[in-house]
Amino acid sequence: MKDTLKIVSYNVNGIRAAIKKDWINWVAANDFDIIGIQETKAQEEQVDLMELKALGFEHLYWHSAEKKGYSGVTIFSKRKPDKVVLGMGVERFDKEGRVIRADFGDLTVLNCYFPSGTSGDVRQDVKYDFLDTFYEWIKELKKERPNLIVQGDYNIAHTERDIHNPKSNKKTSGFLPEERAWMTKWLSEGGFVDAFRYQNPDLEKYSWWSYRAKARANNKGWRIDYQSVTENLKDKIVHTDLLNDAVHSDHCPCLLEIKL
């Protein structure tokens, strides 16, 4: 039995599209234990994952959005979780398929897709509602499950190190002062540690790039994907990375290796 877990968070921007871009072979070439996917944009019955199962990912859990081709999160695991919970018990967010939880012994992995506010004020308000609701929900969950990994696409670049051009993006959703203040609260009062930043305090590396103007080739990106761990787990972090070489999406995967 391994004494560490390798956990991946990946917004694939459509799992069927990612599979067509050789995603399964990429998984096969790596030694992951748990994969959390965001933006599946599919229902479970629409995707054939027999090849993934053959790689040892026998435990596949989906939380899809009611709306076809939209949002959706999964947890694919080589280990059988003790418990899996779909959603956070808040209908307006659960019908969008945003949160899935898996418990492995004392450890809980939450794979999340936070709303984007880029399409206008209405969705920005939904995003703020989600941030406030999620924060309070996690506060309660932590009383029951104190060892949490909260990973996924947060759709927020926290500091100026997390975005290629902070000055011109000050009024852009994803880098607004209120969103950044929420991240600061999450990582202070909320009791969470940004695993990548904890290990790489000064590294300017990104997890998302616009499809426009060769942004990825020029590394003009944003770091909006995170693996946060509760403060009590920070000393168990072995390794973190943003796997920029994986190109199945406009995001790249985040990797966290943690001691059991």
Side-chain angles (χ1 to χ4, degrees), residues 118-134:
T118 53
S119 61
D121 290 349
V122 171
R123 290 306 295 179
Q124 188 65 39
D125 287 343
V126 169
K127 185 176 186 176
Y128 288 139
D129 180 20
F130 179 88
L131 292 175
D132 292 341
T133 306
F134 186 76

Side-chain angles (χ1 to χ4, degrees), residues 19 23-24 44 46-58 60 62 76:
I19 288 168
W23 179 76
I24 302 268
E44 185 174 1
Q46 294 176 303
V47 187
D48 179 4
L49 288 175
M50 289 306 292
E51 288 181 67
L52 191 67
K53 282 189 173 181
L55 297 174
F57 289 92
E58 294 176 17
L60 310 179
W62 292 71
F76 302 148

Side-chain angles (χ1 to χ4, degrees), residues 56-87:
F57 289 92
E58 294 176 17
H59 311 289
L60 310 179
Y61 304 96
W62 292 71
H63 183 34
S64 300
E66 284 179 7
K67 182 178 165 185
K68 294 278 172 72
Y70 178 72
S71 189
V73 288
T74 68
I75 287 178
F76 302 148
S77 180
K78 289 179 177 174
R79 291 172 180 249
K80 185 171 174 37
D82 306 312
K83 181 176 183 178
V84 174
V85 181
L86 308 184

Side-chain angles (χ1 to χ4, degrees), residues 22-34:
D22 217 24
W23 179 76
I24 302 268
N25 281 334
W26 173 79
V27 173
N30 289 279
D31 183 27
F32 306 136
D33 298 295
I34 300 167

Side-chain angles (χ1 to χ4, degrees), residues 90-189:
V90 181
E91 190 196 356
R92 64 188 181 279
F93 301 125
D94 292 350
K95 68 183 185 183
E96 293 190 347
R98 297 208 170 269
V99 178
I100 187 168
R101 163 190 162 190
D103 296 347
F104 301 88
D106 292 337
L107 186 70
T108 292
V109 177
L110 287 155
N111 186 53
C112 312
Y113 177 44
F114 288 30
S116 165
T118 53
S119 61
D121 290 349
V122 171
R123 290 306 295 179
Q124 188 65 39
D125 287 343
V126 169
K127 185 176 186 176
Y128 288 139
D129 180 20
F130 179 88
L131 292 175
D132 292 341
T133 306
F134 186 76
Y135 187 93
E136 292 304 318
W137 177 72
I138 287 285
K139 199 156 80 174
E140 288 306 305
L141 179 63
K142 218 196 300 186
K143 293 173 187 173
E144 175 199 340
R145 303 290 301 175
N147 305 302
L148 295 177
I149 296 170
V150 181
Q151 69 170 21
D153 179 358
Y154 285 41
N155 265 311
I156 301 167
H158 182 208
T159 73
E160 293 194 351
R161 280 170 308 183
D162 301 312
I163 185 168
H164 75 96
N165 196 344
K167 288 188 174 62
S168 65
N169 282 297
K170 279 184 175 159
K171 294 181 180 176
T172 305
S173 178
F175 197 59
L176 295 172
E178 298 88 344
E179 297 168 328
R180 296 172 63 196
W182 184 91
M183 280 296 295
T184 299
K185 182 172 84 161
W186 174 254
L187 297 170
S188 53
E189 295 164 45

